[in-house]
Amino acid sequence: VHMPAHIYIRVGRWADAIESNRHAVHADDGYFDGPHTPDAAFYSAAYRSHNHHFLTLAATMAGASAIAVESSREVARIVTADLARAVPALQPMLAIPVQTLVTFGRWDEVLRMPLPPSELRVALAHFWYARGVAFAATGRVAEARATIDSIHAVTVTLATGEARTTLEIATLAIEGEIALRGQEAGSAVRAFTKAAALEDGLSYMEPPTWYYPVRHSLGKALLAAGQPRDAERVYREDLRRFPENGWALRGLAL
């Protein structure tokens, strides 16, 4: 029921990906209403959460904010702090709801969300990223810069790998947002260009390891810098990766 969604997003059929995952969620609900098998806990963590995560991605790319936010909260309901303690690689999943709020510019809600437990350092760093963008968007530049320092303190403790790379992307994205909001479009372009290069080096994953295409921000920065041809190139590159996504199409329309 779920697997067609992986094909749908490769050809830009985001609405079909939403429906496929909605059916998958319904199938899971039926499964968990019945007698549980010995692997029910594993299935819930690995697959039930994946359906909601994938639904979040599809709805986000389609611009369906209500669906995206609701499904992102379901991810965090399944992947709890206790589960992240037991399986540390799941820590970034705790941040999916707050990252989804960032995507749709819901700054007050981002800043109201409680932080995860302090010992979950990677999860906490992703929350700091979300708060950093929200601070930049609301003119609280000093607080935004402080989140960069907080993320960096976690990044340097991690071995080279994708967990570290995503946090490096996060700090560059905050730097780009600070610059963009401060009318320093050239600096924003440089920060987002570096972030996009790091994103390109991540392993292929569905949903992607880094939660949104950085080229959306890079294209916006290029437009602000008065470089529409470069912005067009960036948006078209993004459409080759994520066909028919509304964010890149909107960028081209501008």
Side-chain angles (χ1 to χ4, degrees):
V1 176
H2 157 82
M3 289 306 292
H6 286 275
I7 298 173
Y8 290 145
I9 71 165
R10 298 274 36 93
V11 296
R13 289 171 57 175
W14 300 102
D16 288 329
I18 289 172
E19 287 306 303
S20 180
N21 280 289
R22 277 178 155 169
H23 289 307
V25 166
H26 178 72
D28 280 343
D29 289 344
Y31 171 74
F32 280 93
D33 284 342
H36 290 182
T37 61
D39 70 343
F42 170 79
Y43 181 91
S44 183
Y47 291 101
R48 195 179 199 187
S49 64
H50 178 63
N51 289 332
H52 289 289
H53 188 189
F54 210 112
L55 179 53
T56 302
L57 167 69
T60 296
M61 288 297 205
S65 62
I67 298 171
V69 170
E70 179 184 6
S71 55
S72 72
R73 288 171 177 161
E74 288 298 309
V75 176
R77 186 180 64 81
I78 296 167
V79 182
T80 63
D82 285 342
L83 183 56
R85 288 188 188 95
V87 187
L90 295 178
Q91 287 191 52
M93 299 281 281
L94 299 181
I96 291 170
V98 75
Q99 290 170 339
T100 303
L101 293 173
V102 167
T103 297
F104 292 102
R106 293 164 63 163
W107 312 126
D108 290 343
E109 293 174 70
V110 169
L111 295 174
R112 284 199 303 267
M113 280 199 71
L115 296 172
S118 59
E119 69 272 18
L120 298 176
R121 300 289 290 167
V122 172
L124 195 57
H126 282 280
F127 271 74
W128 281 327
Y129 154 77
R131 293 173 69 85
V133 176
F135 285 140
T138 54
R140 298 161 65 175
V141 176
E143 290 167 284
R145 293 194 185 284
T147 65
I148 293 175
D149 294 336
S150 296
I151 296 168
H152 181 69
V154 177
T155 304
V156 296
T157 68
L158 301 176
T160 301
E162 303 214 331
R164 180 171 180 143
T165 300
T166 56
L167 294 186
E168 291 170 346
I169 293 170
T171 57
L172 287 165
I174 298 171
E175 289 175 8
E177 291 291 342
I178 293 171
L180 192 57
R181 310 286 178 160
Q183 310 301 313
E184 299 175 2
S187 296
V189 167
R190 288 189 289 274
F192 287 128
T193 297
K194 291 177 183 177
L198 289 175
E199 182 190 8
D200 288 347
L202 294 171
S203 299
Y204 187 85
M205 185 65 66
E206 293 177 354
T209 305
W210 179 247
Y211 79 103
Y212 89 102
V214 175
R215 282 177 173 79
H216 295 171
S217 298
L218 176 56
K220 182 178 179 180
L222 286 164
L223 287 174
Q227 301 177 50
R229 290 185 182 276
D230 288 329
E232 178 185 2
R233 172 183 53 78
V234 163
Y235 285 128
R236 292 193 184 281
E237 286 173 355
D238 187 64
L239 285 167
R240 283 194 288 274
R241 294 180 67 215
F242 302 102
E244 300 296 324
N245 82 82
W247 304 87
L249 291 174
R250 174 62 176 165
L252 285 178
L254 295 173

